[in-house]
Amino acid sequence: MVSIKKLTLLMLFLSISPCIAKHSNLPSLHNDNQEVATNDCQVDSSMTTKGLSLNNIICIAIKRYPTIASARSGYEGYMEMIEAAKAGYYPQINFNVQTTKSSGIRDGYANTPRVTMQQRIYDFGKVSSSIEQSKAEADRQRGNVLQQIDNIIIQSGNLALEIQRLETLELKSKNLLQGINKVLDIAISRSNSGVSTQSDYIQAKSRQEAAEANLFDIQTQLSTTRRKLTTYIGSQYSNAKLATIGDKLFNRNILQYPINEKQIPTVIMNQAFRSMAQAQVDSAKAALMPTISLVGSVEKTIHGYNPNNGKYKGNYNYLGLSVEQSVFSGGENLAKLKSAQKQLNLADYDIKTIRLELNDQVDSIKLNINGIESRIKVLASRLKSINETRILYREQYTLGSRPILDLLNSEEEVFQAETNLINAHHDRWSYYLQYLVVTGNARQIFKLEPLVDKYLGQSNGK
């Protein structure tokens, strides 16, 4: 039978532990996190026929790309380490059976089951610094998840832009081929009428073959880019149309979005590194101080004599206060403290460097956008004048007052001007996309926050 004394001691110890936890502002063991309400991007069959928007493409890529799943697993692992660190606040209860051999008057073996209990009362921040280190590791991994998401936004977004660029160039290349074919028809008609020589036909035929080769090259690039995008969004969308991407989404209003450091992965990871260094400083300082704990033990020898009091099948219980202090460790704790302080200084410098580089990158993107927009105006004006020239040259060639070479050159110049204008527009849109990612606003613009919150829970900073 269990003695009244032993039960009283056990109940006293367990009743004290919650009081200690309460007055130490200890966290609850229960997980109170609620499931975050999400509004996942859903793509139905109608969207594949009407056209996948850039939001659809990015969202699908994020949900299926393995690098993000890998980063999420790492993040969830570190979140569990926080709970493991919090365990230091709670009672540690252990059970063991000790077998001893006595000699002398009480000769023989004794088997003694024992329950030991320990509750920290004050440790000068040892447990709290361990928790902060685990939180910093989780924050660093959270930054890694966001970085992987931003990488997918850039990669899948630029692939969608590249597909649209190549589709537009394909159309313009077909127009070029059609225009040269018209010139070739005129050349054949003039040659049959004896108005022009065979050389006009040869020159037109040569340009026709060059235009066909250029069209095949663009179509090859388009097929390759579509295949790359399929890697991100899956083969089920390989034949899906893409909705038009243009100034409605990417315009100068985007430049009004400020830098949002709370959503920039590199800033998050470096701030987490600083928090980790600060926690290491606190841990090193705490290691120089004692740990005060409430300790207790309940034991009952079931065979032989109790090794603590010599009583046959005796009980032995105790409750006491333990003060543990490292007296000498060869300077290990002081060395750890100095190292942690150096790491803290390093983290501060790294954060300043990242902010400087971030501002420089944003300024560079803005300058590129301004330069391209100025260039677009010139290119649009040039295209208009070349189109007018082409119409004039075609009339003049028909009348015999303009050589065919000028007309063929005008057709190619129109195509080249259209190509330059198309490339400029898409380069500008790509810079706008880059600006959103660099400033930490892309996930908000593309309405990905519910999905990100689902991946990271309520820890995703706003």
Side-chain angles (χ1 to χ4, degrees):
M1 296 293 292
V2 181
S3 68
I4 298 297
K5 181 180 178 181
K6 181 170 67 176
L7 286 175
T8 302
L9 183 61
L10 180 60
M11 291 174 65
L12 174 64
F13 183 86
L14 293 178
S15 65
I16 291 174
S17 298
C19 295
I20 297 173
K22 180 178 180 181
H23 291 289
S24 301
N25 295 321
L26 299 179
S28 171
L29 282 174
H30 300 290
N31 185 6
D32 294 327
N33 290 336
Q34 302 294 323
E35 183 178 352
V36 179
T38 60
N39 186 18
D40 272 356
C41 48
Q42 300 293 334
V43 180
D44 54 34
S45 57
S46 64
M47 291 181 182
T48 60
T49 54
K50 293 178 182 178
L52 291 175
S53 69
L54 187 58
N55 291 52
N56 295 143
I57 292 169
I58 290 172
C59 193
I60 294 168
I62 288 172
K63 292 175 71 175
R64 75 180 301 272
Y65 211 70
T67 56
I68 295 177
S70 175
R72 283 180 61 196
S73 296
Y75 169 73
E76 290 166 358
Y78 281 114
M79 289 299 291
E80 292 300 325
M81 291 303 297
I82 295 175
E83 298 303 316
K86 288 179 180 178
Y89 280 129
Y90 297 96
Q92 306 298 308
I93 303 174
N94 297 296
F95 173 80
N96 67 74
V97 177
Q98 181 181 8
T99 301
T100 58
K101 183 178 185 305
S102 303
S103 58
I105 194 169
R106 295 188 179 92
D107 202 7
Y109 290 92
N111 296 321
T112 306
R114 178 183 295 111
V115 176
T116 60
M117 296 156 283
Q118 181 175 353
Q119 169 67 59
R120 292 191 183 207
I121 298 177
Y122 197 74
D123 64 0
F124 294 90
K126 293 182 179 68
V127 173
S128 61
S129 60
S130 176
I131 292 172
E132 291 305 314
Q133 286 189 58
S134 297
K135 286 182 177 179
E137 286 281 5
D139 279 341
R140 184 181 63 83
Q141 196 63 30
R142 179 173 69 87
N144 183 38
V145 173
L146 296 179
Q147 188 173 57
Q148 296 301 323
I149 290 174
D150 285 354
N151 288 341
I152 297 302
I153 292 174
I154 281 285
Q155 292 162 10
S156 60
N158 277 330
L159 283 172
L161 283 170
E162 181 66 4
I163 288 173
Q164 179 175 278
R165 184 184 74 88
L166 291 170
E167 286 178 343
T168 309
L169 288 179
E170 181 187 29
L171 178 62
K172 298 302 180 183
S173 182
K174 289 178 179 179
N175 291 341
L176 170 64
L177 184 58
Q178 185 179 7
I180 292 178
N181 285 335
K182 288 181 180 179
V183 175
L184 181 61
D185 291 340
I186 296 172
I188 293 173
S189 177
R190 286 171 57 83
S191 177
N192 292 336
S193 302
V195 178
S196 64
T197 63
Q198 187 70 13
S199 62
D200 283 2
Y201 169 78
I202 294 173
Q203 291 183 69
K205 186 64 177 176
S206 176
R207 297 297 180 92
Q208 180 198 46
E209 292 170 349
E212 287 177 343
N214 182 67
L215 176 59
F216 291 149
D217 183 54
I218 291 173
Q219 289 173 336
T220 301
Q221 293 180 49
L222 180 58
S223 298
T224 302
T225 308
R226 282 173 174 162
R227 182 191 58 78
K228 288 181 181 179
L229 183 61
T230 301
T231 304
Y232 287 88
I233 63 176
S235 58
Q236 65 269 37
Y237 301 112
S238 58
N239 297 321
K241 295 180 180 179
L242 303 186
T244 302
I245 305 169
D247 290 334
K248 185 176 180 180
L249 175 61
F250 294 123
N251 52 63
R252 293 195 70 84
N253 291 333
I254 284 176
L255 300 181
Q256 296 178 6
Y257 286 89
I259 295 174
N260 186 0
E261 287 191 359
K262 292 183 178 180
Q263 291 296 325
I264 298 175
T266 52
V267 175
I268 292 171
M269 288 189 285
N270 276 271
Q271 286 178 340
F273 179 73
R274 189 194 184 283
S275 298
M276 193 183 308
Q278 182 62 61
Q280 289 172 350
V281 169
D282 296 340
S283 177
K285 289 180 179 179
L288 299 173
M289 305 301 291
T291 300
I292 303 172
S293 304
L294 185 67
V295 295
S297 174
V298 176
E299 63 180 56
K300 164 71 176 178
T301 301
I302 58 176
H303 174 75
Y305 294 91
N306 187 284
N308 287 304
N309 57 23
K311 294 181 180 180
Y312 182 72
K313 294 186 177 182
N315 301 326
Y316 184 79
N317 311 313
Y318 74 88
L319 181 67
L321 201 63
S322 169
V323 179
E324 185 178 351
Q325 170 69 57
S326 174
V327 179
F328 181 74
S329 60
E332 177 186 1
N333 291 331
L334 286 174
K336 285 182 177 180
L337 177 59
K338 291 179 180 179
S339 174
Q341 288 172 336
K342 296 292 184 183
Q343 292 294 321
L344 185 60
N345 292 334
L346 174 63
D348 287 332
Y349 289 128
D350 284 345
I351 290 174
K352 291 178 180 178
T353 301
I354 286 174
R355 284 175 175 153
L356 287 174
E357 292 176 347
L358 183 61
N359 288 324
D360 180 66
Q361 194 173 2
V362 168
D363 290 341
S364 177
I365 293 172
K366 288 181 177 179
L367 287 173
N368 281 316
I369 289 174
N370 291 335
I372 290 174
E373 288 182 344
S374 299
R375 185 165 172 257
I376 285 174
K377 294 177 182 178
V378 176
L379 291 173
S381 177
R382 181 172 182 268
L383 177 59
K384 182 180 178 182
S385 63
I386 292 176
N387 263 317
E388 293 172 352
T389 302
R390 177 178 62 175
I391 295 171
L392 178 62
Y393 282 8
R394 187 172 293 174
E395 292 175 354
Q396 290 176 343
Y397 176 70
T398 304
L399 297 173
S401 60
R402 175 69 60 178
I404 193 172
L405 189 60
D406 289 348
L407 180 54
L408 291 171
N409 288 340
S410 70
E411 292 286 348
E412 292 182 347
E413 286 178 5
V414 168
F415 172 72
Q416 189 58 53
E418 290 174 335
T419 299
N420 292 338
L421 188 58
I422 291 166
N423 290 340
H425 277 297
H426 284 80
D427 287 345
R428 179 169 60 99
W429 295 332
S430 180
Y431 275 120
Y432 277 130
L433 176 62
Q434 186 180 351
Y435 178 86
L436 289 174
V437 172
V438 168
T439 57
N441 293 297
R443 281 166 261 121
Q444 177 187 351
I445 291 294
F446 293 116
K447 302 177 182 178
L448 298 173
E449 289 180 325
L451 184 61
V452 175
D453 288 344
K454 180 181 178 181
Y455 286 172
L456 298 178
Q458 297 177 350
S459 63
N460 186 30
K462 300 298 182 185

